[in-house]
Amino acid sequence: DVKVTQSSRYLVKRTGEKVFLECVQDMDHENMFWYRQDPGLGLRLIYFSYDVKMKEKGDIPEGYSVSREKKERFSLILESASTNQTSMYLCASKPGTSRNTDTQYFGPGTRLTVL
Amino acid sequence: GQNIDQPTEMTATEGAIVQINCTYQTSGFNGLFWYQQHAGEAPTFLSYNVLDGLEEKGRFSSFLSRSKGYSYLLLKELQMKDSASYLCAVRDNYGQNFVFGPGTRLSVLP
């Protein structure tokens, strides 16, 4: 079974703090993704990575950065947290193959509250 | 642009059948996925369609019409544990990125 883990289930930070969200997958997947999920808006893609040290902006990258130094680990960084970044953050991974049935596998999520 | 629509909420009775619709307008298409997400948990994969028609998987079936930009998820013999959000997602032409709809929260009542 694919396992995607995230460093924290719940996190409370203050405005202006630097926040690190870590994601690790154990299936040697090439692709990794960071989403945020808000009521009524669904999952929105922040950043994704298709290989080590490679990253691409998603739909809402502003206020975020990412790091992929090792294949199994993809970090999301909030340089200076703001209250509008309070959300559920979901990490996902996916094989880099072109098989049609390949889906994304999600981590359990981190509920971040910025005060 | 990218737009995926689903009803926000639905309610059904235990043992009944429910159909959750999804319409999409995306710049590319390489498959449509349905996920189930229980409250506070990660989305889990339910089904996949890339060709028109119906895919059946036990109590769950998914239908796709590419010409209409339309899909539905059919849940039969509803159980209380089916109470969850159901997410529709379209994969892009390159096969890597997914665009998600807002999700449909299904409540199954006794």
PDB file of all heavy atoms in Angstrom, chain A residues 9 31 33 35 37 40 42-43 48 90 94 99-100 102-104 106-108, chain B residues 30 33 35 37 40-43 45 48 50 87 91 95-98 100-102:
ATOM      1  N   ARG A   9      -0.891  16.724  12.121  1.00  0.00           N
ATOM      2  CA  ARG A   9      -2.313  16.746  11.773  1.00  0.00           C
ATOM      3  C   ARG A   9      -2.927  18.115  12.068  1.00  0.00           C
ATOM      4  O   ARG A   9      -3.801  18.578  11.348  1.00  0.00           O
ATOM      5  CB  ARG A   9      -3.079  15.680  12.571  1.00  0.00           C
ATOM      6  CG  ARG A   9      -2.771  14.247  12.178  1.00  0.00           C
ATOM      7  CD  ARG A   9      -3.132  13.960  10.714  1.00  0.00           C
ATOM      8  NE  ARG A   9      -4.504  14.241  10.366  1.00  0.00           N
ATOM      9  CZ  ARG A   9      -5.492  13.355  10.456  1.00  0.00           C
ATOM     10  NH1 ARG A   9      -5.248  12.133  10.896  1.00  0.00           N
ATOM     11  NH2 ARG A   9      -6.712  13.683  10.097  1.00  0.00           N
ATOM     12  N   ASN A  31       6.134  12.195  -8.846  1.00  0.00           N
ATOM     13  CA  ASN A  31       5.341  13.426  -8.723  1.00  0.00           C
ATOM     14  C   ASN A  31       4.798  13.613  -7.315  1.00  0.00           C
ATOM     15  O   ASN A  31       4.279  12.677  -6.708  1.00  0.00           O
ATOM     16  CB  ASN A  31       4.146  13.379  -9.684  1.00  0.00           C
ATOM     17  CG  ASN A  31       4.588  13.272 -11.121  1.00  0.00           C
ATOM     18  OD1 ASN A  31       5.475  13.982 -11.551  1.00  0.00           O
ATOM     19  ND2 ASN A  31       3.976  12.370 -11.859  1.00  0.00           N
ATOM     20  N   PHE A  33       2.592  16.702  -4.825  1.00  0.00           N
ATOM     21  CA  PHE A  33       1.711  17.858  -4.948  1.00  0.00           C
ATOM     22  C   PHE A  33       1.377  18.415  -3.562  1.00  0.00           C
ATOM     23  O   PHE A  33       1.267  17.659  -2.593  1.00  0.00           O
ATOM     24  CB  PHE A  33       0.382  17.453  -5.609  1.00  0.00           C
ATOM     25  CG  PHE A  33       0.523  16.730  -6.919  1.00  0.00           C
ATOM     26  CD1 PHE A  33       0.820  15.379  -6.960  1.00  0.00           C
ATOM     27  CD2 PHE A  33       0.335  17.399  -8.113  1.00  0.00           C
ATOM     28  CE1 PHE A  33       0.942  14.707  -8.165  1.00  0.00           C
ATOM     29  CE2 PHE A  33       0.448  16.736  -9.330  1.00  0.00           C
ATOM     30  CZ  PHE A  33       0.756  15.388  -9.358  1.00  0.00           C
ATOM     31  N   TYR A  35      -1.782  20.774  -1.989  1.00  0.00           N
ATOM     32  CA  TYR A  35      -3.072  21.428  -2.180  1.00  0.00           C
ATOM     33  C   TYR A  35      -3.485  22.082  -0.869  1.00  0.00           C
ATOM     34  O   TYR A  35      -3.082  21.666   0.215  1.00  0.00           O
ATOM     35  CB  TYR A  35      -4.172  20.409  -2.516  1.00  0.00           C
ATOM     36  CG  TYR A  35      -4.028  19.662  -3.812  1.00  0.00           C
ATOM     37  CD1 TYR A  35      -3.340  18.454  -3.875  1.00  0.00           C
ATOM     38  CD2 TYR A  35      -4.622  20.149  -4.979  1.00  0.00           C
ATOM     39  CE1 TYR A  35      -3.240  17.750  -5.073  1.00  0.00           C
ATOM     40  CE2 TYR A  35      -4.523  19.450  -6.172  1.00  0.00           C
ATOM     41  CZ  TYR A  35      -3.839  18.255  -6.207  1.00  0.00           C
ATOM     42  OH  TYR A  35      -3.748  17.565  -7.391  1.00  0.00           O
ATOM     43  N   GLN A  37      -7.338  22.968   0.933  1.00  0.00           N
ATOM     44  CA  GLN A  37      -8.755  22.644   0.784  1.00  0.00           C
ATOM     45  C   GLN A  37      -9.568  23.553   1.683  1.00  0.00           C
ATOM     46  O   GLN A  37      -9.380  23.573   2.908  1.00  0.00           O
ATOM     47  CB  GLN A  37      -9.022  21.174   1.143  1.00  0.00           C
ATOM     48  CG  GLN A  37     -10.449  20.743   0.878  1.00  0.00           C
ATOM     49  CD  GLN A  37     -10.647  19.259   1.123  1.00  0.00           C
ATOM     50  OE1 GLN A  37      -9.979  18.653   1.954  1.00  0.00           O
ATOM     51  NE2 GLN A  37     -11.571  18.652   0.379  1.00  0.00           N
ATOM     52  N   GLY A  40     -16.309  24.883   0.083  1.00  0.00           N
ATOM     53  CA  GLY A  40     -16.910  25.496  -1.097  1.00  0.00           C
ATOM     54  C   GLY A  40     -15.954  25.724  -2.250  1.00  0.00           C
ATOM     55  O   GLY A  40     -16.388  26.034  -3.359  1.00  0.00           O
ATOM     56  N   GLY A  42     -13.128  23.483  -2.789  1.00  0.00           N
ATOM     57  CA  GLY A  42     -12.474  22.249  -3.183  1.00  0.00           C
ATOM     58  C   GLY A  42     -10.969  22.303  -2.988  1.00  0.00           C
ATOM     59  O   GLY A  42     -10.441  23.156  -2.282  1.00  0.00           O
ATOM     60  N   LEU A  43     -10.286  21.383  -3.618  1.00  0.00           N
ATOM     61  CA  LEU A  43      -8.827  21.334  -3.543  1.00  0.00           C
ATOM     62  C   LEU A  43      -8.229  22.260  -4.599  1.00  0.00           C
ATOM     63  O   LEU A  43      -8.600  22.195  -5.771  1.00  0.00           O
ATOM     64  CB  LEU A  43      -8.316  19.916  -3.812  1.00  0.00           C
ATOM     65  CG  LEU A  43      -8.235  18.964  -2.629  1.00  0.00           C
ATOM     66  CD1 LEU A  43      -9.622  18.516  -2.215  1.00  0.00           C
ATOM     67  CD2 LEU A  43      -7.379  17.768  -2.983  1.00  0.00           C
ATOM     68  N   PHE A  48       3.552  21.814  -7.413  1.00  0.00           N
ATOM     69  CA  PHE A  48       3.832  20.408  -7.609  1.00  0.00           C
ATOM     70  C   PHE A  48       5.277  20.225  -8.063  1.00  0.00           C
ATOM     71  O   PHE A  48       5.941  21.180  -8.482  1.00  0.00           O
ATOM     72  CB  PHE A  48       2.845  19.754  -8.580  1.00  0.00           C
ATOM     73  CG  PHE A  48       2.952  20.214  -9.999  1.00  0.00           C
ATOM     74  CD1 PHE A  48       3.648  19.469 -10.936  1.00  0.00           C
ATOM     75  CD2 PHE A  48       2.309  21.373 -10.421  1.00  0.00           C
ATOM     76  CE1 PHE A  48       3.720  19.873 -12.262  1.00  0.00           C
ATOM     77  CE2 PHE A  48       2.375  21.776 -11.743  1.00  0.00           C
ATOM     78  CZ  PHE A  48       3.087  21.031 -12.659  1.00  0.00           C
ATOM     79  N   LEU A  90      -3.219  19.479   2.061  1.00  0.00           N
ATOM     80  CA  LEU A  90      -3.119  18.077   1.671  1.00  0.00           C
ATOM     81  C   LEU A  90      -1.947  17.879   0.731  1.00  0.00           C
ATOM     82  O   LEU A  90      -1.793  18.608  -0.253  1.00  0.00           O
ATOM     83  CB  LEU A  90      -4.408  17.614   0.976  1.00  0.00           C
ATOM     84  CG  LEU A  90      -5.625  17.439   1.878  1.00  0.00           C
ATOM     85  CD1 LEU A  90      -6.897  17.366   1.052  1.00  0.00           C
ATOM     86  CD2 LEU A  90      -5.497  16.174   2.710  1.00  0.00           C
ATOM     87  N   LYS A  94       2.146  10.674  -6.832  1.00  0.00           N
ATOM     88  CA  LYS A  94       1.659   9.928  -7.994  1.00  0.00           C
ATOM     89  C   LYS A  94       2.857   9.408  -8.766  1.00  0.00           C
ATOM     90  O   LYS A  94       3.867  10.097  -8.883  1.00  0.00           O
ATOM     91  CB  LYS A  94       0.832  10.872  -8.879  1.00  0.00           C
ATOM     92  CG  LYS A  94       0.309  10.285 -10.153  1.00  0.00           C
ATOM     93  CD  LYS A  94      -0.325  11.355 -11.005  1.00  0.00           C
ATOM     94  CE  LYS A  94      -0.669  10.835 -12.394  1.00  0.00           C
ATOM     95  NZ  LYS A  94       0.532  10.440 -13.144  1.00  0.00           N
ATOM     96  N   ARG A  99       0.568   5.566 -17.289  1.00  0.00           N
ATOM     97  CA  ARG A  99      -0.578   4.666 -17.246  1.00  0.00           C
ATOM     98  C   ARG A  99      -1.834   5.446 -16.895  1.00  0.00           C
ATOM     99  O   ARG A  99      -1.868   6.224 -15.947  1.00  0.00           O
ATOM    100  CB  ARG A  99      -0.358   3.563 -16.203  1.00  0.00           C
ATOM    101  CG  ARG A  99       0.689   2.552 -16.594  1.00  0.00           C
ATOM    102  CD  ARG A  99       0.913   1.552 -15.499  1.00  0.00           C
ATOM    103  NE  ARG A  99       1.255   2.195 -14.248  1.00  0.00           N
ATOM    104  CZ  ARG A  99       1.567   1.542 -13.145  1.00  0.00           C
ATOM    105  NH1 ARG A  99       1.548   0.226 -13.146  1.00  0.00           N
ATOM    106  NH2 ARG A  99       1.852   2.175 -12.046  1.00  0.00           N
ATOM    107  N   ASN A 100      -2.876   5.207 -17.661  1.00  0.00           N
ATOM    108  CA  ASN A 100      -4.085   6.016 -17.497  1.00  0.00           C
ATOM    109  C   ASN A 100      -4.710   5.900 -16.123  1.00  0.00           C
ATOM    110  O   ASN A 100      -5.307   6.843 -15.631  1.00  0.00           O
ATOM    111  CB  ASN A 100      -5.122   5.635 -18.547  1.00  0.00           C
ATOM    112  CG  ASN A 100      -4.808   6.273 -19.880  1.00  0.00           C
ATOM    113  OD1 ASN A 100      -4.137   7.299 -19.937  1.00  0.00           O
ATOM    114  ND2 ASN A 100      -5.269   5.682 -20.942  1.00  0.00           N
ATOM    115  N   ASP A 102      -3.380   5.661 -13.277  1.00  0.00           N
ATOM    116  CA  ASP A 102      -2.622   6.181 -12.137  1.00  0.00           C
ATOM    117  C   ASP A 102      -3.332   7.340 -11.474  1.00  0.00           C
ATOM    118  O   ASP A 102      -3.586   8.372 -12.095  1.00  0.00           O
ATOM    119  CB  ASP A 102      -1.230   6.626 -12.585  1.00  0.00           C
ATOM    120  CG  ASP A 102      -0.304   5.453 -12.786  1.00  0.00           C
ATOM    121  OD1 ASP A 102      -0.541   4.400 -12.161  1.00  0.00           O
ATOM    122  OD2 ASP A 102       0.645   5.589 -13.560  1.00  0.00           O
ATOM    123  N   THR A 103      -3.621   7.170 -10.205  1.00  0.00           N
ATOM    124  CA  THR A 103      -4.303   8.210  -9.463  1.00  0.00           C
ATOM    125  C   THR A 103      -3.319   8.857  -8.497  1.00  0.00           C
ATOM    126  O   THR A 103      -2.166   8.464  -8.403  1.00  0.00           O
ATOM    127  CB  THR A 103      -5.492   7.624  -8.684  1.00  0.00           C
ATOM    128  OG1 THR A 103      -6.154   8.685  -7.996  1.00  0.00           O
ATOM    129  CG2 THR A 103      -5.033   6.605  -7.659  1.00  0.00           C
ATOM    130  N   GLN A 104      -3.786   9.877  -7.805  1.00  0.00           N
ATOM    131  CA  GLN A 104      -2.991  10.483  -6.756  1.00  0.00           C
ATOM    132  C   GLN A 104      -3.304   9.803  -5.428  1.00  0.00           C
ATOM    133  O   GLN A 104      -4.436   9.393  -5.187  1.00  0.00           O
ATOM    134  CB  GLN A 104      -3.309  11.973  -6.639  1.00  0.00           C
ATOM    135  CG  GLN A 104      -2.866  12.780  -7.844  1.00  0.00           C
ATOM    136  CD  GLN A 104      -3.040  14.271  -7.626  1.00  0.00           C
ATOM    137  OE1 GLN A 104      -3.866  14.705  -6.847  1.00  0.00           O
ATOM    138  NE2 GLN A 104      -2.261  15.053  -8.334  1.00  0.00           N
ATOM    139  N   PHE A 106      -3.206  10.495  -1.350  1.00  0.00           N
ATOM    140  CA  PHE A 106      -3.183  11.641  -0.460  1.00  0.00           C
ATOM    141  C   PHE A 106      -2.696  11.297   0.940  1.00  0.00           C
ATOM    142  O   PHE A 106      -2.929  10.194   1.451  1.00  0.00           O
ATOM    143  CB  PHE A 106      -4.586  12.250  -0.344  1.00  0.00           C
ATOM    144  CG  PHE A 106      -5.017  12.996  -1.571  1.00  0.00           C
ATOM    145  CD1 PHE A 106      -5.647  12.336  -2.618  1.00  0.00           C
ATOM    146  CD2 PHE A 106      -4.791  14.360  -1.685  1.00  0.00           C
ATOM    147  CE1 PHE A 106      -6.044  13.030  -3.757  1.00  0.00           C
ATOM    148  CE2 PHE A 106      -5.182  15.057  -2.818  1.00  0.00           C
ATOM    149  CZ  PHE A 106      -5.803  14.388  -3.849  1.00  0.00           C
ATOM    150  N   GLY A 107      -2.040  12.271   1.553  1.00  0.00           N
ATOM    151  CA  GLY A 107      -1.731  12.182   2.969  1.00  0.00           C
ATOM    152  C   GLY A 107      -2.940  12.548   3.797  1.00  0.00           C
ATOM    153  O   GLY A 107      -3.965  12.975   3.253  1.00  0.00           O
ATOM    154  N   PRO A 108      -2.857  12.427   5.125  1.00  0.00           N
ATOM    155  CA  PRO A 108      -4.004  12.662   5.997  1.00  0.00           C
ATOM    156  C   PRO A 108      -4.368  14.128   6.162  1.00  0.00           C
ATOM    157  O   PRO A 108      -5.453  14.445   6.662  1.00  0.00           O
ATOM    158  CB  PRO A 108      -3.560  12.070   7.336  1.00  0.00           C
ATOM    159  CG  PRO A 108      -2.078  12.151   7.302  1.00  0.00           C
ATOM    160  CD  PRO A 108      -1.680  11.957   5.878  1.00  0.00           C
TER     161      PRO A 108
ATOM    162  N   ASN B  30      -7.739  14.189 -19.789  1.00  0.00           N
ATOM    163  CA  ASN B  30      -7.069  12.885 -19.884  1.00  0.00           C
ATOM    164  C   ASN B  30      -7.571  12.008 -18.747  1.00  0.00           C
ATOM    165  O   ASN B  30      -6.794  11.375 -18.047  1.00  0.00           O
ATOM    166  CB  ASN B  30      -5.546  13.064 -19.823  1.00  0.00           C
ATOM    167  CG  ASN B  30      -4.824  11.771 -20.134  1.00  0.00           C
ATOM    168  OD1 ASN B  30      -5.423  10.805 -20.599  1.00  0.00           O
ATOM    169  ND2 ASN B  30      -3.542  11.738 -19.870  1.00  0.00           N
ATOM    170  N   PHE B  33     -11.749  11.422 -12.492  1.00  0.00           N
ATOM    171  CA  PHE B  33     -11.606  10.608 -11.287  1.00  0.00           C
ATOM    172  C   PHE B  33     -12.658  11.013 -10.254  1.00  0.00           C
ATOM    173  O   PHE B  33     -13.020  12.188 -10.153  1.00  0.00           O
ATOM    174  CB  PHE B  33     -10.220  10.816 -10.666  1.00  0.00           C
ATOM    175  CG  PHE B  33      -9.088  10.280 -11.487  1.00  0.00           C
ATOM    176  CD1 PHE B  33      -8.667  10.922 -12.639  1.00  0.00           C
ATOM    177  CD2 PHE B  33      -8.422   9.128 -11.098  1.00  0.00           C
ATOM    178  CE1 PHE B  33      -7.622  10.421 -13.399  1.00  0.00           C
ATOM    179  CE2 PHE B  33      -7.370   8.619 -11.847  1.00  0.00           C
ATOM    180  CZ  PHE B  33      -6.971   9.265 -13.000  1.00  0.00           C
ATOM    181  N   TYR B  35     -13.282  10.695  -6.042  1.00  0.00           N
ATOM    182  CA  TYR B  35     -12.678  10.378  -4.759  1.00  0.00           C
ATOM    183  C   TYR B  35     -13.749  10.484  -3.682  1.00  0.00           C
ATOM    184  O   TYR B  35     -14.681  11.283  -3.779  1.00  0.00           O
ATOM    185  CB  TYR B  35     -11.566  11.377  -4.418  1.00  0.00           C
ATOM    186  CG  TYR B  35     -10.353  11.311  -5.311  1.00  0.00           C
ATOM    187  CD1 TYR B  35     -10.316  11.989  -6.522  1.00  0.00           C
ATOM    188  CD2 TYR B  35      -9.239  10.566  -4.949  1.00  0.00           C
ATOM    189  CE1 TYR B  35      -9.206  11.935  -7.346  1.00  0.00           C
ATOM    190  CE2 TYR B  35      -8.123  10.506  -5.764  1.00  0.00           C
ATOM    191  CZ  TYR B  35      -8.110  11.196  -6.959  1.00  0.00           C
ATOM    192  OH  TYR B  35      -7.010  11.135  -7.769  1.00  0.00           O
ATOM    193  N   GLN B  37     -14.132  11.318   0.432  1.00  0.00           N
ATOM    194  CA  GLN B  37     -13.403  11.920   1.546  1.00  0.00           C
ATOM    195  C   GLN B  37     -14.306  11.994   2.774  1.00  0.00           C
ATOM    196  O   GLN B  37     -15.259  12.777   2.801  1.00  0.00           O
ATOM    197  CB  GLN B  37     -12.896  13.316   1.174  1.00  0.00           C
ATOM    198  CG  GLN B  37     -12.027  13.946   2.256  1.00  0.00           C
ATOM    199  CD  GLN B  37     -11.505  15.326   1.881  1.00  0.00           C
ATOM    200  OE1 GLN B  37     -12.109  16.021   1.064  1.00  0.00           O
ATOM    201  NE2 GLN B  37     -10.387  15.724   2.448  1.00  0.00           N
ATOM    202  N   GLY B  40     -12.401  15.033   7.933  1.00  0.00           N
ATOM    203  CA  GLY B  40     -11.128  15.006   8.632  1.00  0.00           C
ATOM    204  C   GLY B  40     -10.120  14.002   8.095  1.00  0.00           C
ATOM    205  O   GLY B  40      -9.054  13.824   8.703  1.00  0.00           O
ATOM    206  N   GLU B  41     -10.468  13.361   6.992  1.00  0.00           N
ATOM    207  CA  GLU B  41      -9.564  12.356   6.434  1.00  0.00           C
ATOM    208  C   GLU B  41      -9.124  12.718   5.018  1.00  0.00           C
ATOM    209  O   GLU B  41      -9.637  13.647   4.408  1.00  0.00           O
ATOM    210  CB  GLU B  41     -10.238  10.985   6.437  1.00  0.00           C
ATOM    211  CG  GLU B  41     -10.566  10.476   7.828  1.00  0.00           C
ATOM    212  CD  GLU B  41     -11.187   9.091   7.819  1.00  0.00           C
ATOM    213  OE1 GLU B  41     -11.148   8.430   6.764  1.00  0.00           O
ATOM    214  OE2 GLU B  41     -11.720   8.695   8.863  1.00  0.00           O
ATOM    215  N   ALA B  42      -8.168  11.951   4.496  1.00  0.00           N
ATOM    216  CA  ALA B  42      -7.671  12.193   3.141  1.00  0.00           C
ATOM    217  C   ALA B  42      -8.645  11.657   2.100  1.00  0.00           C
ATOM    218  O   ALA B  42      -9.357  10.681   2.346  1.00  0.00           O
ATOM    219  CB  ALA B  42      -6.321  11.507   2.968  1.00  0.00           C
ATOM    220  N   PRO B  43      -8.700  12.267   0.920  1.00  0.00           N
ATOM    221  CA  PRO B  43      -9.480  11.689  -0.176  1.00  0.00           C
ATOM    222  C   PRO B  43      -8.909  10.327  -0.575  1.00  0.00           C
ATOM    223  O   PRO B  43      -7.686  10.139  -0.579  1.00  0.00           O
ATOM    224  CB  PRO B  43      -9.300  12.694  -1.315  1.00  0.00           C
ATOM    225  CG  PRO B  43      -8.853  13.957  -0.667  1.00  0.00           C
ATOM    226  CD  PRO B  43      -8.072  13.537   0.538  1.00  0.00           C
ATOM    227  N   PHE B  45      -9.264   7.189  -3.608  1.00  0.00           N
ATOM    228  CA  PHE B  45      -9.681   6.942  -4.985  1.00  0.00           C
ATOM    229  C   PHE B  45     -10.880   5.992  -5.040  1.00  0.00           C
ATOM    230  O   PHE B  45     -10.896   4.952  -4.373  1.00  0.00           O
ATOM    231  CB  PHE B  45      -8.502   6.353  -5.753  1.00  0.00           C
ATOM    232  CG  PHE B  45      -8.836   5.827  -7.112  1.00  0.00           C
ATOM    233  CD1 PHE B  45      -9.119   6.685  -8.160  1.00  0.00           C
ATOM    234  CD2 PHE B  45      -8.862   4.455  -7.345  1.00  0.00           C
ATOM    235  CE1 PHE B  45      -9.420   6.193  -9.424  1.00  0.00           C
ATOM    236  CE2 PHE B  45      -9.163   3.964  -8.604  1.00  0.00           C
ATOM    237  CZ  PHE B  45      -9.442   4.827  -9.645  1.00  0.00           C
ATOM    238  N   TYR B  48     -12.429   5.729 -12.034  1.00  0.00           N
ATOM    239  CA  TYR B  48     -11.741   6.429 -13.116  1.00  0.00           C
ATOM    240  C   TYR B  48     -12.468   6.161 -14.426  1.00  0.00           C
ATOM    241  O   TYR B  48     -12.840   5.023 -14.713  1.00  0.00           O
ATOM    242  CB  TYR B  48     -10.307   5.912 -13.177  1.00  0.00           C
ATOM    243  CG  TYR B  48      -9.589   6.175 -14.467  1.00  0.00           C
ATOM    244  CD1 TYR B  48      -9.013   7.418 -14.715  1.00  0.00           C
ATOM    245  CD2 TYR B  48      -9.472   5.179 -15.435  1.00  0.00           C
ATOM    246  CE1 TYR B  48      -8.349   7.662 -15.886  1.00  0.00           C
ATOM    247  CE2 TYR B  48      -8.800   5.428 -16.618  1.00  0.00           C
ATOM    248  CZ  TYR B  48      -8.238   6.672 -16.837  1.00  0.00           C
ATOM    249  OH  TYR B  48      -7.585   6.912 -18.005  1.00  0.00           O
ATOM    250  N   VAL B  50     -12.062   7.294 -18.674  1.00  0.00           N
ATOM    251  CA  VAL B  50     -11.413   8.075 -19.722  1.00  0.00           C
ATOM    252  C   VAL B  50     -12.195   7.949 -21.037  1.00  0.00           C
ATOM    253  O   VAL B  50     -12.140   8.838 -21.876  1.00  0.00           O
ATOM    254  CB  VAL B  50      -9.939   7.682 -19.898  1.00  0.00           C
ATOM    255  CG1 VAL B  50      -9.806   6.286 -20.487  1.00  0.00           C
ATOM    256  CG2 VAL B  50      -9.200   8.709 -20.724  1.00  0.00           C
ATOM    257  N   LEU B  87     -15.574  13.883  -4.401  1.00  0.00           N
ATOM    258  CA  LEU B  87     -14.846  14.866  -5.206  1.00  0.00           C
ATOM    259  C   LEU B  87     -14.703  14.365  -6.632  1.00  0.00           C
ATOM    260  O   LEU B  87     -14.280  13.222  -6.861  1.00  0.00           O
ATOM    261  CB  LEU B  87     -13.450  15.106  -4.626  1.00  0.00           C
ATOM    262  CG  LEU B  87     -13.339  15.346  -3.121  1.00  0.00           C
ATOM    263  CD1 LEU B  87     -11.872  15.577  -2.737  1.00  0.00           C
ATOM    264  CD2 LEU B  87     -14.187  16.511  -2.691  1.00  0.00           C
ATOM    265  N   ARG B  91      -8.161  15.146 -15.002  1.00  0.00           N
ATOM    266  CA  ARG B  91      -6.711  15.150 -15.203  1.00  0.00           C
ATOM    267  C   ARG B  91      -6.389  15.834 -16.521  1.00  0.00           C
ATOM    268  O   ARG B  91      -7.092  15.646 -17.514  1.00  0.00           O
ATOM    269  CB  ARG B  91      -6.190  13.716 -15.195  1.00  0.00           C
ATOM    270  CG  ARG B  91      -4.671  13.618 -15.225  1.00  0.00           C
ATOM    271  CD  ARG B  91      -4.215  12.201 -14.993  1.00  0.00           C
ATOM    272  NE  ARG B  91      -4.755  11.298 -15.993  1.00  0.00           N
ATOM    273  CZ  ARG B  91      -4.627   9.967 -15.937  1.00  0.00           C
ATOM    274  NH1 ARG B  91      -3.995   9.420 -14.932  1.00  0.00           N
ATOM    275  NH2 ARG B  91      -5.139   9.218 -16.883  1.00  0.00           N
ATOM    276  N   GLY B  95      -1.307  14.395 -18.185  1.00  0.00           N
ATOM    277  CA  GLY B  95      -1.478  13.253 -17.305  1.00  0.00           C
ATOM    278  C   GLY B  95      -0.917  13.414 -15.915  1.00  0.00           C
ATOM    279  O   GLY B  95      -0.827  12.454 -15.168  1.00  0.00           O
ATOM    280  N   GLN B  96      -0.540  14.638 -15.555  1.00  0.00           N
ATOM    281  CA  GLN B  96       0.079  14.815 -14.241  1.00  0.00           C
ATOM    282  C   GLN B  96      -0.785  15.617 -13.282  1.00  0.00           C
ATOM    283  O   GLN B  96      -0.862  15.301 -12.102  1.00  0.00           O
ATOM    284  CB  GLN B  96       1.441  15.504 -14.384  1.00  0.00           C
ATOM    285  CG  GLN B  96       2.411  14.814 -15.323  1.00  0.00           C
ATOM    286  CD  GLN B  96       2.657  13.359 -14.964  1.00  0.00           C
ATOM    287  OE1 GLN B  96       2.453  12.926 -13.843  1.00  0.00           O
ATOM    288  NE2 GLN B  96       3.091  12.587 -15.937  1.00  0.00           N
ATOM    289  N   ASN B  97      -1.420  16.659 -13.785  1.00  0.00           N
ATOM    290  CA  ASN B  97      -2.175  17.545 -12.888  1.00  0.00           C
ATOM    291  C   ASN B  97      -3.653  17.245 -12.890  1.00  0.00           C
ATOM    292  O   ASN B  97      -4.217  16.828 -13.897  1.00  0.00           O
ATOM    293  CB  ASN B  97      -1.974  19.007 -13.292  1.00  0.00           C
ATOM    294  CG  ASN B  97      -0.616  19.501 -12.892  1.00  0.00           C
ATOM    295  OD1 ASN B  97       0.053  18.891 -12.084  1.00  0.00           O
ATOM    296  ND2 ASN B  97      -0.197  20.608 -13.464  1.00  0.00           N
ATOM    297  N   PHE B  98      -4.263  17.492 -11.736  1.00  0.00           N
ATOM    298  CA  PHE B  98      -5.687  17.254 -11.545  1.00  0.00           C
ATOM    299  C   PHE B  98      -6.368  18.555 -11.156  1.00  0.00           C
ATOM    300  O   PHE B  98      -5.862  19.294 -10.319  1.00  0.00           O
ATOM    301  CB  PHE B  98      -5.912  16.245 -10.413  1.00  0.00           C
ATOM    302  CG  PHE B  98      -5.424  14.853 -10.714  1.00  0.00           C
ATOM    303  CD1 PHE B  98      -4.082  14.581 -10.840  1.00  0.00           C
ATOM    304  CD2 PHE B  98      -6.324  13.806 -10.862  1.00  0.00           C
ATOM    305  CE1 PHE B  98      -3.631  13.308 -11.114  1.00  0.00           C
ATOM    306  CE2 PHE B  98      -5.886  12.521 -11.129  1.00  0.00           C
ATOM    307  CZ  PHE B  98      -4.541  12.265 -11.247  1.00  0.00           C
ATOM    308  N   PHE B 100      -9.805  19.855  -9.393  1.00  0.00           N
ATOM    309  CA  PHE B 100     -10.857  19.300  -8.554  1.00  0.00           C
ATOM    310  C   PHE B 100     -12.095  20.184  -8.539  1.00  0.00           C
ATOM    311  O   PHE B 100     -12.006  21.412  -8.561  1.00  0.00           O
ATOM    312  CB  PHE B 100     -10.354  19.145  -7.114  1.00  0.00           C
ATOM    313  CG  PHE B 100      -9.440  17.979  -6.910  1.00  0.00           C
ATOM    314  CD1 PHE B 100      -8.093  18.083  -7.209  1.00  0.00           C
ATOM    315  CD2 PHE B 100      -9.931  16.774  -6.445  1.00  0.00           C
ATOM    316  CE1 PHE B 100      -7.242  16.999  -7.036  1.00  0.00           C
ATOM    317  CE2 PHE B 100      -9.091  15.689  -6.259  1.00  0.00           C
ATOM    318  CZ  PHE B 100      -7.749  15.797  -6.564  1.00  0.00           C
ATOM    319  N   GLY B 101     -13.253  19.542  -8.454  1.00  0.00           N
ATOM    320  CA  GLY B 101     -14.489  20.259  -8.198  1.00  0.00           C
ATOM    321  C   GLY B 101     -14.598  20.566  -6.709  1.00  0.00           C
ATOM    322  O   GLY B 101     -13.772  20.129  -5.912  1.00  0.00           O
ATOM    323  N   PRO B 102     -15.645  21.306  -6.308  1.00  0.00           N
ATOM    324  CA  PRO B 102     -15.788  21.718  -4.915  1.00  0.00           C
ATOM    325  C   PRO B 102     -16.197  20.590  -3.973  1.00  0.00           C
ATOM    326  O   PRO B 102     -16.105  20.743  -2.755  1.00  0.00           O
ATOM    327  CB  PRO B 102     -16.877  22.791  -4.981  1.00  0.00           C
ATOM    328  CG  PRO B 102     -17.657  22.441  -6.197  1.00  0.00           C
ATOM    329  CD  PRO B 102     -16.686  21.864  -7.177  1.00  0.00           C
TER     330      PRO B 102
END
